[in-house]
Amino acid sequence: MKQPGLLQAGQPEIDLLYNRLAVKSEDFHTDRFHLKHLCALPGRFADFSLAANDFFLDYSRQRLDNEALALLFEAAEATGALEKFREMTRGNLVNTTEKRAALHMATRASESSASKQPLTIDGHDVNAGINRVNAEIRDFVENVHTGRLTGTSGSPFSDAVVVGIGGSYLGCEFVYHAMGPSMDRRIALHFLPNVDIDDFAGIISRVNPEKTLWIIISKSYTTTETMANLNQVLAFLNAEGLSPKDHVVTVTAKGSPGDDPENPVLASFHMFDFIGGRYSVSSAVGGVPLGLAYGWEGFRRFLDGCRCMDTHALSAPVHENIPLTAALISIWNKHFLGYPAQAIIPYASRLSRLAPHIQQLYMESIGKSVSFSGKELRHPAGSIIFGEPGTNAQHSFFQLAHQGPAFPIDFIGVAVPGFSGPQAQSKGVTNHQELWANLLAQARALALGRDNEDPARRFKGNRPCSIIMLNDLEPESIGQLLAFYEARTIFEGFILGINPFDQFGVELGKVMAGDLRREIAARNQDTDHDFSHLDAPDQFYLDMVFKKNIPGK
Amino acid sequence: MKQPGLLQAGQPEIDLLYNRLAVKSEDFHTDRFHLKHLCALPGRFADFSLAANDFFLDYSRQRLDNEALALLFEAAEATGALEKFREMTRGNLVNTTEKRAALHMATRASESSASKQPLTIDGHDVNAGINRVNAEIRDFVENVHTGRLTGTSGSPFSDAVVVGIGGSYLGCEFVYHAMGPSMDRRIALHFLPNVDIDDFAGIISRVNPEKTLWIIISKSYTTTETMANLNQVLAFLNAEGLSPKDHVVTVTAKGSPGDDPENPVLASFHMFDFIGGRYSVSSAVGGVPLGLAYGWEGFRRFLDGCRCMDTHALSAPVHENIPLTAALISIWNKHFLGYPAQAIIPYASRLSRLAPHIQQLYMESIGKSVSFSGKELRHPAGSIIFGEPGTNAQHSFFQLAHQGPAFPIDFIGVAVPGFSGPQAQSKGVTNHQELWANLLAQARALALGRDNEDPARRFKGNRPCSIIMLNDLEPESIGQLLAFYEARTIFEGFILGINPFDQFGVELGKVMAGDLRREIAARNQDTDHDFSHLDAPDQFYLDMVFKKNIPGK
């Protein structure tokens, strides 16, 4: 397969385009291209914003003009990103290094007319497989909610603990909080990603074990942290006189140790090889816990929202494609304007776990140094994503955003608030209106700045942002937002020429942790095992872990 | 006052030093200075680590050699950072732009022998004032715990909600979670920083109003978000038939609207002008909620830990000074090696709110473009701080950390785990040992890397980190950790030549939010008030807020 990419040198047409973009970016070092001038151009807001299906992206305060944008669109065309995105949904092995398809979008298309075409991977019908798992989840969730399934003691379930790390919980946690208050919550969720024993202790102090389900999520069922926590869970259930076959649910690959009739559990749901962890919220990874929390219907409405954005991403032409445009802006900001980071600032507390999810989704997908075909990139790809909800963020790190080294921001606003109860007004506005006054003020202040004779009070402006507006925080809108960032991430990978689906960068740490774990295990077995063959820091720290105090130097 | 600073050009001695550092940094672009070589030097670990009072800093995997370090220490000497730090504790107006002292360290010194010298600001005895407030908090907390103070209905208090934003809650939230499970918790804390009404709704769904205290924290008692939330609280108490004089506590400046006998509250505790919000955890801002949660004794132990680090920071010579050395490393990484961000990764879930607190502390203190004396800096100061606990972070953004654009990391490990119950072992190690295996493996993998014939599996290494080791998670250790980052931040400001205590960069957003708030309030008053005089984006969004849906474009 031809794998063109903007960060891979040595392809004449694309090299030329890269150079034209680099030259064009120099314009933006001049005052003439300051955002205060760009924003004053007639038609700026209308020309630099896109809407589709109640999802609105305003990039009028990005440091872009028509010429830069045209070059970026050329890059999208030259790299065939949209075509590749479509191929992805047809089951092509776009995850080339791992020789896998990337079919997370099938989880929300499988029941719709969008999936009329048969989709086969290794002889298996993808849509049929997904529909079967979804039907199993739907039945299971209903059996829990109606009390047909109960714990060992006969109590109905009130709580479920998601035991999974990284992509096995971050997306689910985001959606759980985002859908929160406006839904009828049937089961409260808790998240146990970390191997830190304090987390396990915290969770067992909060739940009634007789009424608690444990959802173990790991594709391979070998993830170290998840298996260590599973061992804690099994010991705990045993001590409580509760049986795993009543209280444990697994979400795992078919045939993994978690899908073994020798180890009976209450239910087991399959994950597929063609869906990577960080893209798995709309699969059983999200479906089981979110279905338990908000009912299958609640989860289905979320899938509808995802599908709505997917359909747009697949069908909108390059110039009107919202996630594709956002990907181009991200590329421009990082690789041509030189911004090393991006912030995500939702003015909605219910979206407070969006930034941690997108941090994982994006940084694990795009943080690469080699192209699809294994060539070294012009420079490493990916930027740092971080964020807190507004207005909290204003009182935390916005000093630096306004007067320190600049970084672009995605502001997210919600037209209709989730809360529908009575609101007191302060200074003549509701709390929800106060959020909007602040969001708009920040976007304006960052872009335009303001001079002041006191240098400490001077704002140079010219700091870029986008504004994303959602109509509301209903499940459909949450789905659109999630699918927007997924598509944006994938488009960015395809345009840059990197594989957004692998993560070989986490392998070395795992290997080295295994080496150290064997050292520790050996000492646990034999107190005479010493660490003197290790290098100085490892020796020192492992001695500390066993001596449990720090000597003076 | 002479205000030398490394980022301010035009001071011959310091210009020379800056240039020597810049020249020296070029060495580190060569393979000879790769961390795999530096770490192999004999004595490296012993020479590049410091310990004091159970606090250990290992910077052996920072991209530094003796020559670079010597130049950095020269910069600390030339800028008089340590002397200035000492002057700060003597009440000098080190916050020059606001003409204020910065005496947060007095809150933990006031009762100790360290405060034998009288300290007077504007004719007031600082230590006496702090001791008086602390005694008031101690009595109040005891009266709540013993049930002498109750709610309107006579119920003892079980919960307290901290209503405050930015520095009024982030530090307290960090310490609350960090001290968590090992303490006897008397009162559960909740945090209500954001103006988002969903947050208020969430809190009132979780607490019993008859047993709940509301702690309103705002120095000026005019902070928009906090006042808007106070209005919600007052309306809520009124609807519940509860009185503010039984349920509301204020922490505010003497004579503010929150300290007005006309508005009776249960208790009011004073904040002082000489303690900035982001440095206020050890004042009444932390003392009232944390004293309620863990007893005055628990809070006092935390103060002891802070004082222990303060004493070290004040008395240790430059070359042995832990926070000063950490500040120099931060400066080197940002301004000479060019890293735009720093991550804080504690391998202890109880420290999960450390990164958000330090994000605020550091980015608001150091994110500046002008020097103490109002001169433009060579380039803007400050870097982005972000982080999640390990091992969670490994499954989130460590792909980018290993193979994307590099950033330095502070790893934090704890020798003795907080949890003392029985632990199942997995793969021969406890969960706590698993955390250490991972921390050490990550530090090693980032520094050393590993070659591989497959470019996708190649790790170049040479990615810097420090390891901070705490003995345990007792309150004294939490205090040391907090005071370490405070002192590091202040030293960095003093060496760079910027004021780490002001935050003029947040002013413009507030002004512009006020303008927009008035527009919204006018429309709330008069439905004929239109927004056509505003610019296109503001007009569009405000119309949306009132129409509550997004039209197609």
Side-chain angles (χ1 to χ4, degrees):
Chain A
M1 207 187 311
K2 202 182 143 206
Q3 302 278 15
L6 195 56
L7 283 192
Q8 190 179 323
Q11 306 159 101
E13 184 202 0
I14 289 176
D15 288 353
L16 185 62
L17 200 47
Y18 182 89
N19 291 335
R20 285 167 66 204
L21 279 158
V23 169
K24 175 63 194 170
S25 71
E26 288 166 21
D27 282 351
F28 291 84
H29 301 158
T30 64
D31 183 68
R32 203 158 62 84
F33 286 81
H34 189 292
L35 276 173
K36 69 189 169 197
H37 302 307
L38 295 177
C39 289
L41 295 172
R44 172 78 183 183
F45 177 64
D47 293 347
F48 286 71
S49 59
L50 288 167
N53 310 307
D54 288 351
F55 190 97
F56 185 76
L57 174 70
D58 160 14
Y59 50 101
S60 64
R61 274 120 167 191
Q62 293 287 350
R63 295 172 62 199
L64 280 168
D65 63 0
N66 284 320
E67 197 183 351
L69 206 54
L71 285 170
L72 289 166
F73 284 130
E74 264 190 69
E77 302 279 8
T79 54
L82 188 51
E83 184 43 41
K84 195 159 187 170
F85 193 82
R86 291 170 182 157
E87 283 172 12
M88 172 180 78
T89 65
R90 292 194 289 266
N92 281 17
L93 304 186
V94 290
N95 180 353
T96 47
T97 47
E98 301 181 304
K99 299 192 174 47
R100 287 181 188 160
L103 287 172
H104 56 284
M105 286 159 69
T107 59
R108 45 250 198 174
S110 59
E111 284 180 282
S112 79
S113 58
S115 66
K116 284 281 161 60
Q117 295 166 312
L119 183 56
T120 307
I121 297 281
D122 295 338
H124 296 282
D125 181 330
V126 167
N127 291 320
I130 289 170
N131 287 338
R132 180 179 45 73
V133 173
N134 283 354
E136 289 167 2
I137 298 172
R138 194 166 52 232
D139 289 349
F140 171 73
V141 161
E142 200 179 306
N143 286 334
V144 169
H145 290 168
T146 56
R148 278 196 290 274
L149 285 176
T150 65
T152 304
S153 71
S155 295
F157 293 109
S158 60
D159 293 76
V161 182
V162 174
V163 183
I165 195 162
S168 295
Y169 92 101
L170 283 164
C172 178
E173 187 190 40
F174 155 59
V175 177
Y176 177 67
H177 289 295
M179 282 172 58
S182 58
M183 306 292 287
D184 175 24
R185 200 180 68 191
R186 312 293 294 271
I187 298 276
L189 298 186
H190 310 265
F191 296 90
L192 179 59
N194 207 334
V195 72
D196 189 329
I197 193 75
D198 275 326
D199 288 346
F200 179 75
I203 281 175
I204 61 173
S205 76
R206 290 199 299 277
V207 299
N208 178 343
E210 293 184 12
K211 295 172 166 243
T212 300
L213 280 167
W214 300 83
I215 308 170
I216 316 299
I217 305 182
S218 168
K219 196 189 281 185
S220 64
Y221 223 69
T222 60
T223 311
T224 303
E225 291 87 344
T226 306
M227 292 301 104
N229 278 324
L230 173 61
N231 284 343
Q232 299 291 343
V233 171
L234 294 176
F236 174 71
L237 289 175
N238 187 46
E240 297 283 327
L242 303 171
S243 167
K245 75 175 174 42
D246 298 323
H247 287 269
V248 171
V249 174
T250 66
V251 180
T252 187
K254 189 175 176 180
S256 89
D259 182 44
D260 178 355
E262 299 283 303
N263 300 312
V265 292
L266 180 61
S268 192
F269 303 95
H270 289 164
M271 294 168 79
F272 299 99
D273 224 27
F274 49 73
I275 300 179
R278 56 193 180 269
Y279 297 96
S280 68
V281 200
S282 56
S283 76
V285 170
V288 174
L290 293 167
L292 285 168
Y294 301 121
W296 179 259
E297 176 62 14
F299 185 66
R300 192 199 53 72
R301 290 178 58 199
F302 163 76
L303 295 184
D304 286 348
C306 294
R307 188 174 57 249
C308 185
M309 178 57 75
D310 293 347
T311 306
H312 167 83
L314 281 165
S315 60
V318 165
H319 293 70
E320 294 165 22
N321 196 303
I322 297 179
L324 178 57
T325 302
L328 291 168
I329 292 168
S330 174
I331 289 168
W332 173 250
N333 281 336
K334 166 70 183 164
H335 296 286
F336 298 97
L337 298 185
Y339 294 113
Q342 310 174 20
I344 297 179
I345 313 288
Y347 278 69
S349 289
R350 281 168 56 181
L351 304 180
S352 62
R353 299 300 296 168
L354 176 64
H357 174 54
I358 305 307
Q359 184 174 69
Q360 192 238 356
L361 171 67
Y362 179 87
M363 292 173 73
E364 195 157 81
S365 297
I366 306 297
K368 309 279 165 76
S369 290
V370 296
S371 73
F372 265 114
S373 41
K375 296 276 193 333
E376 181 117 359
L377 302 177
R378 292 172 188 273
H379 41 257
S383 53
I384 288 161
I385 295 223
F386 70 109
E388 294 282 340
T391 61
N392 290 5
Q394 294 173 208
H395 293 262
S396 173
F397 52 81
F398 270 38
Q399 164 67 39
L400 186 143
H402 286 282
Q403 293 188 323
F407 52 86
I409 297 176
D410 279 359
F411 289 109
I412 302 174
V414 182
V416 183
F419 181 81
S420 56
Q423 289 193 47
Q425 287 193 359
S426 294
K427 300 184 182 177
V429 303
T430 66
N431 283 23
H432 183 71
Q433 292 170 335
E434 182 67 39
L435 287 172
W436 271 104
N438 277 277
L439 186 164
L440 298 176
Q442 292 300 327
R444 163 182 286 270
L446 288 165
L448 306 185
R450 184 172 286 181
D451 205 7
N452 193 303
E453 59 186 20
D454 175 0
R457 291 177 167 83
R458 196 168 289 157
F459 295 87
K460 292 189 178 171
N462 206 28
R463 289 161 186 253
C465 71
S466 292
I467 297 177
I468 291 166
M469 183 161 66
L470 307 178
N471 195 37
D472 52 41
L473 290 173
E474 293 299 307
E476 292 84 355
S477 299
I478 307 302
Q480 284 212 56
L481 183 61
L482 180 106
F484 161 76
Y485 276 109
E486 286 182 348
R488 186 192 86 137
T489 301
I490 294 165
F491 278 131
E492 183 161 341
F494 288 173
I495 297 163
L496 293 176
I498 59 175
N499 181 353
F501 303 109
D502 63 12
Q503 59 280 322
F504 294 115
V506 302
E507 296 302 325
L508 181 57
K510 284 186 196 174
V511 170
M512 289 183 173
D515 295 343
L516 287 156
R517 187 187 305 116
R518 275 185 290 277
E519 290 290 333
I520 296 170
R523 173 69 157 263
N524 284 341
Q525 285 289 320
D526 171 9
T527 53
D528 287 339
H529 180 84
D530 82 359
F531 301 124
S532 57
H533 54 294
L534 301 179
D535 68 8
D538 287 348
Q539 188 181 335
F540 172 82
Y541 292 110
L542 292 188
D543 279 342
M544 284 310 101
V545 169
F546 281 93
K547 284 184 197 153
K548 300 188 175 174
N549 61 62
I550 306 174
K553 284 195 53 178
Chain B
M1 205 188 308
K2 200 181 143 206
Q3 300 279 16
L6 194 57
L7 282 193
Q8 190 179 322
Q11 307 160 99
E13 183 202 1
I14 289 176
D15 288 355
L16 185 63
L17 200 47
Y18 183 89
N19 290 336
R20 286 167 66 205
L21 279 159
V23 169
K24 174 63 193 173
S25 71
E26 288 166 21
D27 281 350
F28 291 85
H29 300 157
T30 63
D31 183 68
R32 203 157 61 84
F33 287 81
H34 189 292
L35 276 173
K36 69 190 168 196
H37 302 307
L38 295 178
C39 290
L41 295 172
R44 173 79 183 181
F45 177 65
D47 293 347
F48 285 71
S49 59
L50 288 167
N53 309 310
D54 288 350
F55 190 98
F56 185 76
L57 174 70
D58 160 14
Y59 50 101
S60 65
R61 276 126 170 182
Q62 293 288 351
R63 295 173 60 200
L64 280 168
D65 62 0
N66 283 318
E67 197 184 351
L69 206 54
L71 286 170
L72 289 166
F73 284 130
E74 264 190 69
E77 302 278 10
T79 54
L82 188 51
E83 184 44 43
K84 195 160 189 169
F85 193 82
R86 291 171 182 156
E87 282 171 14
M88 174 180 77
T89 64
R90 292 193 290 266
N92 280 18
L93 303 187
V94 291
N95 180 353
T96 48
T97 47
E98 302 181 302
K99 300 192 173 45
R100 286 180 189 161
L103 287 171
H104 55 283
M105 284 158 70
T107 58
R108 44 247 199 175
S110 60
E111 284 181 282
S112 79
S113 58
S115 66
K116 283 281 161 58
Q117 296 166 312
L119 182 55
T120 308
I121 298 279
D122 295 338
H124 295 284
D125 180 332
V126 167
N127 290 320
I130 288 171
N131 286 338
R132 180 179 45 74
V133 173
N134 282 353
E136 288 167 5
I137 298 173
R138 193 166 51 232
D139 288 349
F140 172 75
V141 162
E142 199 177 307
N143 286 334
V144 169
H145 290 168
T146 56
R148 277 194 290 274
L149 285 176
T150 66
T152 304
S153 70
S155 295
F157 293 109
S158 61
D159 293 76
V161 182
V162 174
V163 183
I165 195 163
S168 295
Y169 92 100
L170 282 165
C172 179
E173 187 190 41
F174 155 58
V175 177
Y176 177 67
H177 289 294
M179 282 171 59
S182 58
M183 306 292 287
D184 175 23
R185 201 182 68 192
R186 313 291 295 270
I187 299 277
L189 298 186
H190 311 264
F191 296 90
L192 181 58
N194 207 335
V195 72
D196 189 329
I197 193 75
D198 275 327
D199 288 345
F200 179 75
I203 281 174
I204 60 173
S205 76
R206 290 199 299 275
V207 299
N208 177 343
E210 296 184 11
K211 295 170 166 247
T212 300
L213 279 167
W214 300 83
I215 308 171
I216 316 299
I217 304 183
S218 168
K219 196 190 280 186
S220 64
Y221 223 69
T222 59
T223 311
T224 303
E225 292 87 346
T226 305
M227 293 301 105
N229 277 324
L230 173 61
N231 285 344
Q232 299 290 343
V233 171
L234 296 176
F236 174 70
L237 289 175
N238 187 46
E240 297 284 329
L242 303 170
S243 168
K245 75 174 175 40
D246 299 322
H247 288 269
V248 171
V249 174
T250 67
V251 179
T252 187
K254 190 174 177 180
S256 89
D259 181 44
D260 177 355
E262 299 283 304
N263 300 313
V265 292
L266 179 61
S268 191
F269 303 95
H270 289 164
M271 293 168 79
F272 300 98
D273 225 26
F274 49 72
I275 301 178
R278 56 191 179 269
Y279 297 96
S280 68
V281 199
S282 55
S283 76
V285 169
V288 174
L290 293 168
L292 285 168
Y294 300 121
W296 179 259
E297 175 63 13
F299 184 66
R300 192 198 54 71
R301 290 179 58 199
F302 163 75
L303 294 184
D304 286 349
C306 294
R307 188 173 58 249
C308 185
M309 179 57 75
D310 293 346
T311 305
H312 168 82
L314 281 164
S315 60
V318 165
H319 294 71
E320 294 166 22
N321 196 303
I322 297 177
L324 178 58
T325 302
L328 291 169
I329 292 168
S330 174
I331 289 168
W332 173 251
N333 281 336
K334 167 68 183 165
H335 295 286
F336 297 97
L337 299 185
Y339 294 112
Q342 312 174 18
I344 296 178
I345 312 289
Y347 278 69
S349 289
R350 281 169 57 181
L351 304 180
S352 62
R353 299 300 294 170
L354 176 65
H357 173 54
I358 306 306
Q359 185 174 69
Q360 192 239 355
L361 170 68
Y362 179 87
M363 292 173 74
E364 195 158 79
S365 297
I366 306 297
K368 309 279 165 74
S369 290
V370 295
S371 72
F372 265 116
S373 42
K375 296 274 192 334
E376 182 115 1
L377 301 176
R378 292 172 188 273
H379 41 257
S383 53
I384 288 160
I385 296 223
F386 71 107
E388 294 282 340
T391 62
N392 289 6
Q394 294 173 208
H395 293 262
S396 173
F397 51 82
F398 269 39
Q399 164 66 40
L400 187 142
H402 286 282
Q403 293 188 323
F407 52 86
I409 297 175
D410 280 359
F411 289 109
I412 302 174
V414 181
V416 184
F419 180 82
S420 55
Q423 289 194 47
Q425 288 194 358
S426 294
K427 300 184 182 177
V429 302
T430 65
N431 283 21
H432 183 70
Q433 292 171 335
E434 183 67 38
L435 287 172
W436 271 104
N438 277 277
L439 186 164
L440 298 176
Q442 292 300 327
R444 163 182 286 271
L446 288 164
L448 306 186
R450 184 172 287 181
D451 204 6
N452 194 304
E453 60 187 22
D454 174 1
R457 291 178 168 82
R458 196 168 290 157
F459 296 86
K460 293 188 178 171
N462 208 26
R463 291 162 185 250
C465 72
S466 292
I467 297 178
I468 291 167
M469 183 162 65
L470 307 177
N471 195 36
D472 52 42
L473 290 172
E474 294 298 307
E476 292 84 354
S477 300
I478 308 304
Q480 284 212 59
L481 184 60
L482 180 106
F484 161 76
Y485 275 109
E486 287 182 348
R488 186 192 87 138
T489 301
I490 293 165
F491 278 130
E492 182 161 341
F494 288 172
I495 297 163
L496 294 176
I498 59 174
N499 181 353
F501 302 108
D502 63 12
Q503 59 279 325
F504 294 114
V506 302
E507 296 302 325
L508 180 58
K510 284 187 195 173
V511 170
M512 290 184 172
D515 296 342
L516 286 156
R517 187 187 304 118
R518 276 184 291 278
E519 290 291 333
I520 296 170
R523 173 68 159 263
N524 284 341
Q525 285 289 320
D526 172 8
T527 53
D528 286 340
H529 180 84
D530 81 1
F531 301 124
S532 58
H533 55 292
L534 301 179
D535 69 6
D538 287 349
Q539 187 182 334
F540 171 82
Y541 292 111
L542 293 188
D543 279 342
M544 284 308 101
V545 170
F546 282 92
K547 284 185 195 152
K548 300 189 174 172
N549 62 61
I550 306 174
K553 284 194 54 175

